[in-house]
Amino acid sequence: MSEKSDPSVWQGFKAFLMRGNVIDLAVAVVIGAAFTNIVNSVVKGVINPLIGAFGTQSLDSYSSCLKGPCTGTGDTATGVRILWGSVLGATLSFLITAAVVYFLMVLPMAKYLARQEARRKAKESAEEIIEVTELEVLKEIRDELVAQRGSGLDRS
């Protein structure tokens, strides 16, 4: 019984993997993971030093003390700290990622699809004009034939 169900299970699994959506999703995950490293490098190598010009070079060290005394760092820290610097760093990473995805992927693809749609509509309208023109010509031929038949009957 398992011999009969195994090929269909494998065939179903193969069909699932060969769908375009699954392949596209896998590629997107791999590219996204590689892109995350680039964005993190930009934040650490460019954004943090720029912010470091005004304060410290590490956004993670920016914090506020809610309940003091706030002394020490890491596990030896006392008091209640709000680590807003790490939130700022994550927000900057998100904004940079979103901007790059939008300007380098979404916007060009939207323009490309709009151009393709305009070409398709232009082609359809050209086909309609040709069809209308052919229809007009056929109507004229019909009217001419009717007129010739009508004039031929009047001569008798």
Side-chain angles (χ1 to χ4, degrees), residues 146-156:
V146 168
Q148 285 178 359
R149 284 185 187 163
S151 65
L153 293 175
D154 291 340
R155 291 184 188 169
S156 318

Side-chain angles (χ1 to χ4, degrees), residues 19-111:
R19 283 188 204 159
N21 294 343
V22 175
I23 303 290
D24 292 342
L25 183 60
V27 169
V29 167
V30 169
I31 289 174
F35 187 67
T36 299
N37 290 334
I38 293 171
V39 171
N40 288 338
S41 296
V42 168
V43 169
K44 288 179 183 173
V46 176
I47 303 296
N48 285 353
L50 288 175
I51 292 175
F54 302 107
T56 179
Q57 285 194 357
S58 174
L59 288 178
D60 293 336
S61 65
Y62 285 109
S63 64
S64 297
C65 186
L66 264 184
K67 185 175 180 184
C70 291
T71 58
T73 58
D75 292 336
T76 61
T78 60
V80 178
R81 291 182 190 239
I82 304 243
L83 302 173
W84 58 271
S86 60
V87 174
L88 179 63
T91 303
L92 287 173
S93 294
F94 170 77
L95 290 175
I96 291 169
T97 303
V100 169
V101 166
Y102 179 75
F103 289 112
L104 294 181
M105 295 176 191
V106 173
L107 192 61
M109 183 58 78
K111 287 182 179 182

